[in-house]
């Protein structure tokens, strides 16, 4: 059982940047993996970026070179730095965590990229 709260979403023009934050209610060191997913109407939720407890990261091909996932264990927080945003990045972004407790999801934060 872990509660996740996302923040940092908003409206930005194409080419701009945003940084999303996901604050967890427990030490993220105890969580096996955390990640960011996104979803738009009519499409299934897709993985954007993930980071394991050991620090290994992976990204969707569509965001490689533009997005960076990182964490601050002292703050129990995972970040998603999004640069060079394009309209296709528009979605609700959800934080995810998995561990012995199962799988938890945040409520999401909206990102809108205008052209």
């Amino acid at each position: 059982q872990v509660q996740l709260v996302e923040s940092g979403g908003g409206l930005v023009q194409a080419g701009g940047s945003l940084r999303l934050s996901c604050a967890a209610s427990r030490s993220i060191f105890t969580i096996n993996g955390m990640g960011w997913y996104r979803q738009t109407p009519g499409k299934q939720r897709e993985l954007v970026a993930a980071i394991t407890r050991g620090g290994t990261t992976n990204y969707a091909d569509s965001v490689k070179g533009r997005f960076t996932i990182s964490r601050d264990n002292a703050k129990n927080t995972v970040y998603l730095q999004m640069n060079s945003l394009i309209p296709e990045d528009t979605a609700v972004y959800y934080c995810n965590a998995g561990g012995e407790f199962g799988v938890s999801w945040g409520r999401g934060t909206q990102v809108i990229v205008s052209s």
Side-chain angles (χ1 to χ4, degrees):
Q1 51 185 281
V2 59
Q3 285 70 54
L4 306 172
V5 180
E6 304 100 330
S7 62
L11 285 75
V12 65
Q13 291 186 327
S17 299
L18 286 173
R19 188 174 78 159
L20 307 183
S21 298
C22 175
S25 63
R26 64 195 292 173
S27 173
I28 59 176
F29 186 75
T30 66
I31 301 173
N32 291 336
M34 297 187 69
W36 289 95
Y37 290 70
R38 65 187 181 187
Q39 187 169 27
T40 57
K43 296 183 178 180
Q44 64 183 14
R45 193 170 299 182
E46 64 178 358
L47 174 68
V48 177
I51 185 168
T52 69
R53 184 168 57 191
T56 301
T57 60
N58 62 280
Y59 300 89
D61 289 340
S62 59
V63 306
K64 286 182 178 178
R66 300 189 298 118
F67 291 10
T68 303
I69 188 170
S70 62
R71 68 185 182 192
D72 186 333
N73 291 332
K75 297 181 179 179
N76 295 340
T77 301
V78 171
Y79 305 95
L80 183 68
Q81 179 67 46
M82 305 185 294
N83 298 325
S84 301
L85 286 162
I86 57 178
E88 289 79 4
D89 295 321
T90 296
V92 177
Y93 284 71
Y94 297 89
C95 185
N96 165 269
E100 295 181 354
F101 54 88
V103 178
S104 296
W105 293 91
R107 293 187 179 276
T109 184
Q110 176 70 253
V111 171
I112 300 176
V113 184
S114 62
S115 60

